[in-house]
Amino acid sequence: MARRQDTIELVIKKGLITQDQLERARTEVKKTGLPLRKALEKLGFITEEQIANTVADALGVTYMNLTDYMIDPEVIKLVPEAVAKKYKAVPLFKIASTLTLAMVDPQDILAIDEIRRKSKADSIDVVLASEEGIQKALDAYYGAMGTVEELVKGIDKAKFDAKGAAGAEEMAGEAPVIRLVNLMINQAIKDKASDIHIEPNDDAVRIRYRIDGILHEINTMPKHLQSVVISRVKILAKMDIAEQRKPQDGRIRIKKEDRDVDIRVSSFPTVHGENIVMRLLDKLTALLGLAELGLSKEDLKKFDKLIRYPNGIILVTGPTGSGKTTSLYAALSTINSMEKNIITIEDPVEYELPLIRQTAVNQKAGLTFATGFRSILRQDPDIVMVGEIRDKETADIAIQASMTGHLVFSTLHTNDAASALSRLIDMGVEPFLISSSIMGVMAQRLVRVICPKCKEKHTPSDEALKDLGLSVPVDFYKGKGCGKCKKTGFAGRVGIYELLILDDEIKKMVVAKASSDDIKKKAASKGMTTLFTDGLAKAKEGITTVEEVLRASRTES
């Protein structure tokens, strides 16, 4: 590492301290016996982070601020605690066989070599971190993780009470709180949760995970931990800790060995304090191919043909959380190529797709779906994806684009496919324009998949059979509940679909302003599989349960 004198020369050269400040620091050294760097920090002339940044620049390595960095516990296990503390080194992430390591001294070849052997990594990439940052990470990650209950006990309530709410930010940086929040997030990733809810109540804080679309209470924490836990999450998400009266949005990124996990954080003020919801976006599991969505063979063939047309509009409909974005991304990924210019405007951009230009709506800057769409059309696109058609202006631009040779993908919030056509008419779009531009509408829902480990035959009740329109008993399946599925009987979700293709007869009905019910009946008579019939087929195949199909299709018009 750069010699101490060299470091001081570097910070002077960079203009971080003056010669006068250096002399005052030297006087402090004589008084206290502190090292020169520590004396400079004590006097407030420079921070340890500024020194570390300066050294990193001089050595040509990356500087990493570990204050708001989350590390996968599996990566921590790669380097034994004794070795990490001996060399003041913390493993950050591993990609393939290369381990990225944060060190106080990135030039310690002996340390790097020993850590490479201990971790069984083929190679080591080194970044520099401050000594304070390394020490905090060592304290946070190499203590026993334990359970939430055990970690709660490790947080000194008396110390918190003494500091009060004003000390929440300081307490949020202490090892037990860091471990607690890390455990909460890593457990959610392990359980394949889509959301983490931190919900303050009158006398406690409830933690819930949304797994396979259903919220489950995981545990509760004492009320005195509310402010420190929320502060820790806001620090990670780079949100304003002091602002507790207004909603805020933030983002946390976690690097796993084989994927990145993006966490969107939302805070919302309530009478009992800030409510936090963290949405976990796992790029590896979310970016599915068309064949993995759960479409029937016939609908898959139709939809694949539909998305390869040169122009027109394709809509995907369903309520929030029904997997519309996943379906659109699967479609775009299928037709994506070097020869095509694909541009999207989304709210927000959930996953980054190669070769595709993506932008997010920014209301404050005046970038809406409509204004963004207009600008996109001046970027010579072949294919455009608009996150949602919310108003007539956006609908009109989409229709105009489709008629001038563009393929447009978008979504609507309707209960079934036919209702999307009525919704556009209600917006004020002329029926003849809808019939000439919309090529197909796909409605969808998500249903839970039966756990394969505890799957067993099941005959529904007479009432359920009646709801299904079945007069004779049929063997279906359900999950008994096991350790693998945490006694829920389910593991994962799959889509059920309704694909409406606008042929000449359906187009004439649209122009005549036929009701959505009539259009749906006509499409079904011509072979369209409805959400209910697709769900029932999956229940008969043993993919999902009758109850899931009834739950998902009850919102169908």
Side-chain angles (χ1 to χ4, degrees):
M1 192 172 183
R3 289 182 295 110
R4 291 176 183 229
Q5 189 59 40
D6 291 342
T7 303
I8 300 304
E9 290 171 3
L10 285 169
V11 296
I12 292 175
K13 189 175 180 181
K14 246 188 163 183
L16 296 176
I17 62 170
T18 65
Q19 195 65 39
D20 179 60
Q21 289 173 329
L22 177 60
E23 293 306 320
R24 288 170 61 187
R26 283 174 175 158
T27 302
E28 185 69 19
V29 168
K30 291 176 183 178
K31 288 180 183 178
T32 62
L34 285 170
L36 183 55
R37 288 169 62 173
K38 294 296 181 185
L40 285 165
E41 290 173 39
K42 180 186 175 183
L43 293 169
F45 296 151
I46 197 168
T47 65
E48 186 177 9
E49 186 173 339
Q50 287 175 310
I51 293 173
N53 250 314
T54 302
V55 173
D57 287 344
L59 296 177
V61 298
T62 301
Y63 168 73
M64 183 73 77
N65 184 344
L66 301 184
T67 303
D68 54 0
Y69 193 86
M70 276 198 63
I71 307 171
D72 185 350
E74 295 302 314
V75 173
I76 288 293
K77 292 176 184 177
L78 296 174
V79 180
E81 181 176 356
V83 175
K85 289 184 174 179
K86 176 182 177 182
Y87 295 116
K88 294 185 178 178
V90 176
L92 299 180
F93 55 88
K94 187 180 180 186
I95 299 177
S97 58
T98 299
L99 178 67
T100 296
L101 190 71
M103 300 181 70
V104 172
D105 185 357
Q107 291 184 312
D108 191 338
I109 303 301
L110 293 177
I112 295 169
D113 195 45
E114 183 174 349
I115 290 171
R116 182 183 57 77
R117 290 196 308 271
K118 295 284 187 183
S119 65
K120 297 181 181 178
D122 288 346
S123 60
I124 300 285
D125 278 348
V126 181
V127 299
L128 185 142
S130 69
E131 190 168 348
E132 181 184 5
I134 290 284
Q135 191 57 55
K136 282 188 175 181
L138 290 171
D139 292 342
Y141 289 98
Y142 282 99
M145 284 299 287
T147 64
V148 169
E149 290 76 16
E150 290 168 347
L151 292 177
V152 166
K153 290 177 183 176
I155 300 175
D156 190 343
K157 185 177 185 300
K159 184 177 179 181
F160 172 80
D161 289 342
K163 288 183 178 291
E169 182 174 356
E170 182 184 343
M171 291 287 289
E174 296 199 355
V177 177
I178 293 173
R179 289 183 201 141
L180 178 59
V181 173
N182 289 351
L183 176 63
M184 187 191 309
I185 294 174
N186 281 297
Q187 187 62 48
I189 294 171
K190 185 178 178 181
D191 290 346
K192 297 181 180 178
S194 61
D195 301 86
I196 302 170
H197 289 240
I198 303 175
E199 303 169 336
N201 293 313
D202 185 35
D203 57 353
V205 181
R206 182 172 57 234
I207 308 298
R208 294 196 290 174
Y209 292 169
R210 187 178 294 279
I211 301 172
D212 295 333
I214 305 296
L215 278 170
H216 301 269
E217 183 171 320
I218 304 303
N219 45 53
T220 58
M221 294 186 298
K223 186 72 174 176
H224 71 268
L225 292 182
Q226 176 178 316
S227 59
V228 293
V229 167
I230 290 174
S231 292
R232 177 60 190 166
V233 171
K234 290 172 76 173
I235 288 170
L236 288 170
K238 296 179 173 60
M239 296 159 73
D240 185 354
I241 297 175
E243 181 55 74
Q244 300 175 9
R245 299 166 300 173
K246 296 192 301 186
Q248 292 187 65
D249 295 308
R251 188 174 185 177
I252 303 170
R253 281 184 170 174
I254 302 174
K255 189 177 285 291
K256 307 286 280 185
E257 180 173 356
D258 54 353
R259 65 192 190 275
D260 291 333
V261 178
D262 215 353
I263 303 176
R264 303 293 169 84
V265 183
S266 170
S267 70
F268 188 79
T270 71
V271 292
H272 297 302
E274 287 182 284
N275 196 84
I276 299 287
V277 175
M278 293 183 273
R279 169 149 290 186
L280 281 61
L281 304 172
D282 188 333
K283 296 182 181 182
L284 187 69
T285 58
L287 296 179
L288 304 176
L290 279 184
E292 298 170 288
L293 293 177
L295 286 158
S296 66
K297 288 183 180 179
E298 187 177 347
D299 280 350
L300 176 60
K301 187 177 179 180
K302 290 178 182 176
F303 191 65
D304 186 70
K305 181 181 178 181
L306 199 64
I307 64 176
R308 295 181 190 277
Y309 282 124
N311 62 285
I313 299 174
I314 299 169
L315 297 174
V316 179
T317 77
T320 301
S322 59
K324 299 187 298 295
T325 300
T326 299
S327 294
L328 286 174
Y329 280 177
L332 292 180
S333 297
T334 299
I335 57 178
N336 190 15
S337 71
M338 188 63 72
E339 291 76 31
K340 293 177 180 174
N341 182 17
I342 304 177
I343 306 178
T344 75
I345 180 163
E346 308 169 52
D347 186 18
V349 174
E350 293 192 8
Y351 306 101
E352 295 175 12
L353 303 172
L355 286 181
I356 296 176
R357 265 65 63 205
Q358 297 169 268
T359 191
V361 165
N362 187 337
Q363 298 286 350
K364 291 181 180 178
L367 181 61
T368 64
F369 281 128
T371 58
F373 200 166
R374 289 187 189 280
S375 297
I376 285 172
L377 294 177
R378 294 192 287 271
Q379 291 284 306
D380 186 33
D382 298 296
I383 300 165
V384 180
M385 194 264 273
V386 183
E388 184 183 348
I389 293 178
R390 295 176 179 171
D391 50 45
K392 183 177 184 294
E393 184 181 7
T394 308
D396 286 342
I397 301 168
I399 290 169
Q400 180 187 356
S402 71
M403 291 181 170
T404 53
H406 302 89
L407 183 61
V408 179
F409 292 88
S410 192
T411 72
L412 280 174
H413 284 85
T414 61
N415 288 331
D416 59 12
S419 296
L421 306 173
S422 300
R423 176 66 57 83
L424 290 172
I425 292 174
D426 291 342
M427 285 182 185
V429 181
E430 291 293 338
F432 77 90
L433 291 175
I434 297 170
S435 67
S436 58
S437 58
I438 306 285
M439 296 188 301
V441 184
M442 185 168 74
Q444 65 180 77
R445 300 287 188 280
L446 292 176
V447 294
R448 291 182 288 175
V449 174
I450 298 170
C451 173
K453 294 289 184 182
C454 59
K455 183 176 177 180
E456 62 181 15
K457 281 191 175 182
H458 167 63
T459 301
S461 65
D462 291 341
E463 186 180 351
L465 288 170
K466 185 179 178 181
D467 287 341
L468 293 170
L470 299 173
S471 56
V472 294
V474 177
D475 279 333
F476 290 98
Y477 296 84
K478 70 174 183 178
K480 185 178 181 180
C482 63
K484 180 78 173 176
C485 62
K486 298 186 182 297
K487 304 295 182 182
T488 64
F490 298 99
R493 290 189 291 176
V494 70
I496 58 174
Y497 300 92
E498 177 177 288
L499 182 58
L500 172 63
I501 305 293
L502 274 72
D503 61 13
D504 289 341
E505 194 169 0
I506 298 294
K507 287 179 179 180
K508 287 178 182 177
M509 294 181 73
V510 172
V511 173
K513 294 187 179 181
S515 70
S516 57
D517 283 343
D518 288 342
I519 291 174
K520 182 173 183 175
K521 287 175 184 176
K522 174 59 69 175
S525 72
K526 295 163 75 69
M528 182 186 78
T529 302
T530 66
L531 288 167
F532 177 75
T533 53
D534 187 40
L536 185 58
K538 286 181 169 68
K540 289 178 178 179
E541 291 175 35
I543 296 171
T544 189
T545 66
V546 167
E547 291 76 16
E548 277 294 291
V549 174
L550 291 172
R551 178 184 64 81
S553 59
R554 279 193 181 110
T555 54
E556 183 184 351
S557 294

